[in-house]
Amino acid sequence: LALVAALLAYGPTAQPYLDAVQSGLGAALVSLTASSTRAGQPGWPLAEVSPRGCACLLEGLRAAAAPEGEGPKLMAGDTALTWLMAVLGERHVGLLTHWPQVHGGGRPGIAATVTPAVDLLQLPLSPVGGGGGGEGGEALAAPPGYQEALNRDGAVRALVLVLEALDGEALALPVNLLSRLVLVSTSFASQFIAAGGLAPALVQRLLRDSQPPALLIDVLLVVSQLARVSKEGFNTYEAISRANCYAQVKRLLSHTDPGVRARVCNLLGNMCRHSAYFYTALERHGLVGPLIERCADTDRSTRKFACFAIGNAGFHNHSLYEALRPAIAPLVALLRGPEEDDKTRANAAGALGNLVRNSGALCGELVRAGALRALLDTALAPERPASAARGSLASTGGAGAGGG
């Protein structure tokens, strides 16, 4: 296996690599992964492969599956998938935990094995432009039956369980793949929750503000999507609440990375999207004030999602109206801000409408802040799209919970 990996490591422009690929070495490596039986008895795909041998096999498969080689389709069949599931499975990871580090085991060995295995697992998946995924994510294209096979073989469960054995940069690829899968299918989302993806210790660790911004954004995308798709028969709000990550979310509202701040605001908006379930918790954990501050954020997307979240926090009942009172002036300022896009203005208008939807307690404050004048000016501005004008006019009488 080491010799094969070294041969393919010459790269796609080298003659040894081309000769190896043209001779069908990639397919031979996939066939090797199928050696799960011996003498007609059921066995285990990794029974006779050492950690270093497994690493070499993964390296060889990755080289063979490069676009210049046999391509990602090499890894799309059931044989390769079954083996990758075994590599990422509890049994193999548990054995690696106890294997000496000097021989490819321990936590470093787990990371060195999991990263290329996850890379191979996601190789047949490619993003499709134009959206289609949840939370603005892209839909995924894959060979026929591949996503169904990932669902059938419990790929999401394996990815969630292996996170416990990973730290630092090794978390990035598994979490990214989890976010891509959860965003495209409620089946994957259901697997994620069932596997313990919202376990308090795990979520709180993944949302530490010391984690890389890209990792934080992927985790926030997952939790936000789960909140977004909550419905009767698939209630995700309770599972999110049990994760008890309010303290982490509060700290991330002031994170230095604007992408993180925007995604936190979007998460809070989706937590308030379907019901008032989280209203009490948002006030108890001191999240309303920091959320309002994001209306004046330097980042445009953060301002947009902050308006979305404030609007939904006032939609279902009036219990947060007093806490949301300080949001009125910033929302009016966003309506009048020449640099704001139409979606931000629409969200700000909707939020102001929702602050009088359930009670007249804030009407005086809205009048004093010039909200009605700002809404009418926005609606009547000739350069505004018809949708923005309708939203501003509707907001004078209350608006609905909307998208971010």
Side-chain angles (χ1 to χ4, degrees):
L1 288 174
L3 179 60
V4 169
L7 187 65
L8 293 173
Y10 276 99
T13 59
Q15 194 59 45
Y17 175 94
L18 296 173
D19 290 341
V21 170
Q22 290 170 6
S23 69
L25 187 55
L29 289 175
V30 171
S31 297
L32 183 60
T33 67
S35 58
S36 58
T37 58
R38 170 174 286 273
Q41 297 298 319
W44 182 47
L46 295 165
E48 298 183 1
V49 182
S50 70
R52 286 182 174 169
C54 180
C56 288
L57 183 50
L58 288 165
E59 184 181 349
L61 285 168
R62 185 62 182 86
E68 301 84 358
E70 298 187 41
K73 66 180 185 300
L74 179 69
M75 302 305 302
D78 284 349
T79 298
L81 180 58
T82 298
W83 185 75
L84 288 174
M85 288 295 94
V87 171
L88 296 170
E90 291 178 87
R91 180 177 179 182
H92 186 229
V93 173
L95 290 173
L96 283 174
T97 301
H98 301 291
W99 198 267
Q101 287 190 27
V102 294
H103 297 303
R107 291 184 81 86
I110 294 172
T113 301
V114 168
T115 299
V118 174
D119 187 32
L120 287 168
L121 196 64
Q122 58 88 33
L123 205 57
L125 300 169
S126 58
V128 178
E135 290 300 332
E138 293 181 306
L140 296 177
Y146 188 67
Q147 287 192 50
E148 292 78 4
L150 290 175
N151 189 24
R152 178 199 67 213
D153 290 358
V156 167
R157 180 179 185 276
L159 290 167
V160 169
L161 295 180
V162 82
L163 295 179
E164 184 62 35
L166 301 174
D167 300 294
E169 294 180 358
L171 288 164
L173 202 55
V175 170
N176 178 258
L177 180 53
L178 280 168
S179 74
R180 296 170 70 194
L181 294 175
V182 169
L183 262 61
V184 299
S185 167
T186 54
S187 293
F188 289 130
S190 180
Q191 276 193 19
F192 181 86
I193 294 175
L198 289 177
L202 177 60
V203 176
Q204 292 167 23
R205 178 166 72 99
L206 294 178
L207 287 178
R208 289 174 186 161
D209 53 8
S210 58
Q211 298 284 15
L215 177 68
L216 289 170
I217 289 171
D218 278 332
V219 177
L220 291 166
L221 280 171
V222 169
V223 184
S224 188
Q225 174 68 1
L226 293 174
R228 181 175 178 265
V229 300
S230 184
K231 58 185 178 181
E232 187 177 351
F234 185 48
N235 185 342
T236 64
Y237 276 10
E238 292 180 4
I240 293 171
S241 178
R242 288 193 297 270
N244 194 27
C245 56
Y246 302 105
Q248 289 75 20
V249 168
K250 183 177 180 180
R251 282 194 291 271
L252 293 180
L253 276 168
S254 57
H255 196 276
T256 56
D257 187 276
V260 172
R261 299 196 302 272
R263 286 304 170 187
V264 175
C265 292
N266 195 27
L267 165 61
L268 293 174
N270 281 325
M271 287 169 63
C272 298
R273 188 184 191 105
H274 302 292
S275 73
Y277 183 92
F278 286 103
Y279 281 11
T280 301
L282 294 185
E283 187 169 25
R284 183 171 68 248
H285 291 279
L287 285 161
V288 178
L291 173 62
I292 293 172
E293 292 174 3
R294 299 280 63 81
C295 288
D297 199 279
T298 56
D299 176 64
R300 179 177 295 181
S301 291
T302 301
R303 298 194 298 271
K304 177 183 71 173
F305 286 125
C307 294
F308 161 63
I310 290 169
N312 283 356
F315 177 73
H316 300 286
N317 63 44
H318 67 278
S319 63
L320 287 179
Y321 274 15
E322 224 21 74
L324 292 170
R325 182 185 292 271
I328 294 173
L331 291 170
V332 172
L334 288 173
L335 275 180
R336 291 175 168 158
E339 72 281 5
E340 302 304 332
D341 60 24
D342 291 320
K343 185 59 178 175
T344 300
R345 286 195 180 90
N347 284 354
L352 288 168
N354 288 347
L355 292 181
V356 294
R357 172 186 171 84
N358 301 294
S359 163
L362 298 180
C363 285
E365 188 73 29
L366 264 74
V367 171
R368 286 190 291 273
L372 185 59
R373 180 75 261 173
L375 286 166
L376 289 173
D377 288 345
T378 300
L380 298 175
E383 69 275 14
R384 294 281 169 265
S387 58
R390 286 194 300 270
S392 295
L393 288 172
S395 295
T396 62

